[in-house]
Amino acid sequence: MTTHDAFVSENEMSEEELVARIAWFYYHDGMTQTDISERLGLTRLKVSRLLEKGHQSGIIRVQINSRFEGCLEYEHALKTHFALKHVRVLPGLPVENAYPRLGIGAAQMLMENLQPQQLLAIGFGEATMSTLKRLSGFISANQIRLVTLSGGVGPYMTGIGQLDAACSVSIIPAPLRASSAAIASTLKNEKSVQDVILAAQAADVAVVGIGAISQRHDATIMRSGYITAGEQLMIGRHGATGDILGYFFDADGALIPEMNIHDELIGLPLPALSTIPLVVGVAGSPQKAAAIVAAMRGGYINALVTDQDTAAAMLKLIE
């Protein structure tokens, strides 16, 4: 190659050729934009603008050959369709227990969005407890304060038990579900309970699990004994698709009316989640796809951590 060839003037080339040369140098030869600007006698800003123009015009197309490529496509599709703030889709792997992987993904998202000394509200369930386990060091180092979104101590201990003893944790001093609406009302009027619920509503970030009626006996709320098999069957017949914090909603995200359990729950009412700036839903399994879609339609979550197979099933539901 002659010296003239190496320093071809931009005036001697069409813009398309110039973009092609820049793209080749940048993506194939690994040259920096500064190196390219010196080689072609252009400003670095000009090189940057031509690279961007190449992308916009379709001259430059970047192909990602990775098992994560599909995940990125799903993330973009879900984020765009549901106007989510953040989405993380994990690669689909043939593992029996997905909760540890979901917990890692959710912990990473929370670490990217939580600031020191902020307040994190947590819902019950295996996915959220798995998340909490993997946040333990981060919570201690950044003095993150925790508050529960629902009553009950047992459902939270597998996660809270992993935290440093110095961590600030506010737990609603009441059961998750009372034996009647009257008892629930009395407990919710207790100042100690009200204070924690108000704190939960003022949280900076929340993380919740999403249950699905289609899970039947595998549903956390069922296995934990908060609803009976008969209640689950009746709730399903009323058109419920899924639940968050024990509140059941239909395929459009609307709360199922006249549900006894809704009046007997002690914690933050589901519609009140909308006052929290970032609510991360953590759920995986194609069986939960309809429930996750319903949760987003209802506006209960504005960020999501799930897996590739679940994301594919969700997108089929909205096609």
Side-chain angles (χ1 to χ4, degrees):
M1 178 182 291
T2 66
T3 302
H4 177 74
D5 290 333
F7 295 92
V8 181
S9 165
E10 64 173 305
N11 294 325
E12 297 177 38
M13 288 185 261
S14 67
E15 185 175 81
E16 182 178 348
E17 182 184 354
L18 195 57
V19 168
R21 284 178 179 264
I22 290 171
W24 184 269
F25 291 147
Y26 189 69
Y27 291 105
H28 185 270
D29 294 336
M31 293 174 62
T32 66
Q33 292 185 22
T34 300
D35 292 338
I36 297 170
S37 67
E38 291 175 356
R39 179 159 188 168
L40 295 178
L42 307 172
T43 65
R44 188 182 177 284
L45 180 60
K46 177 79 170 179
V47 170
S48 178
R49 285 177 175 171
L50 285 172
L51 277 172
E52 179 60 27
K53 194 167 185 178
H55 285 292
Q56 293 175 351
S57 66
I59 295 174
I60 300 172
R61 295 181 182 178
V62 179
Q63 181 176 346
I64 303 172
N65 295 313
S66 164
R67 67 191 180 103
F68 290 95
E69 180 184 0
C71 299
L72 299 176
E73 292 176 356
Y74 289 139
E75 287 176 0
H76 177 73
L78 291 170
K79 187 174 184 179
T80 301
H81 187 86
F82 293 102
L84 298 173
K85 291 185 176 180
H86 304 285
V87 183
R88 177 154 295 171
V89 175
L90 307 176
L93 292 175
V95 292
E96 186 173 330
N97 185 1
Y99 292 120
R101 294 176 63 244
L102 289 170
I104 292 170
Q108 291 172 343
M109 180 179 287
L110 291 172
M111 286 189 282
E112 291 168 2
N113 288 281
L114 277 167
Q115 300 301 315
Q117 300 182 350
Q118 283 193 324
L119 182 60
L120 171 64
I122 49 175
F124 64 88
E126 292 184 66
T128 51
M129 292 305 100
S130 178
T131 301
L132 207 53
K133 288 177 185 178
R134 285 152 183 82
L135 272 180
S136 177
F138 177 83
I139 287 170
S140 298
N142 291 274
Q143 298 180 311
I144 301 298
R145 295 168 293 129
L146 299 178
V147 60
T148 60
L149 286 163
S150 301
V153 176
Y156 289 99
M157 287 316 298
T158 56
I160 290 175
Q162 305 292 318
L163 302 178
D164 189 284
C167 290
S168 171
V169 184
S170 297
I171 298 175
I172 295 174
L176 187 148
R177 183 183 183 186
S179 57
S180 70
I183 294 175
S185 178
T186 298
L187 289 171
K188 285 187 282 191
N189 284 328
E190 288 289 333
K191 188 176 186 305
S192 58
V193 174
Q194 285 183 344
D195 287 346
V196 181
I197 292 176
L198 286 172
Q201 192 166 356
D204 299 289
V205 180
V207 57
V208 297
I210 302 169
I213 283 290
S214 59
Q215 289 181 281
R216 300 187 66 79
H217 297 290
D218 291 331
T220 298
I221 196 167
M222 176 75 177
R223 287 189 288 104
S224 301
Y226 290 111
I227 63 171
T228 66
E231 283 182 306
Q232 187 187 55
L233 185 62
M234 181 271 293
I235 291 169
R237 286 175 178 172
H238 277 74
T241 296
D243 81 283
I244 293 176
L245 305 176
Y247 289 92
F248 290 86
F249 44 81
D250 64 20
D252 294 320
L255 279 175
I256 302 297
E258 300 179 8
M259 287 283 101
N260 289 340
I261 186 174
H262 293 174
D263 296 324
E264 295 165 358
L265 292 170
I266 301 167
L268 188 70
L270 187 55
L273 275 180
S274 62
T275 64
I276 301 174
L278 181 65
V279 182
V280 180
V282 187
S285 167
Q287 199 175 18
K288 287 190 175 185
I292 301 170
V293 168
M296 293 188 291
R297 285 174 175 162
Y300 304 124
I301 62 173
N302 54 19
L304 176 67
V305 177
T306 191
D307 63 81
Q308 194 169 353
D309 295 335
T310 307
M314 290 165 62
L315 290 171
K316 285 182 180 178
L317 293 174
I318 61 176
E319 285 178 350

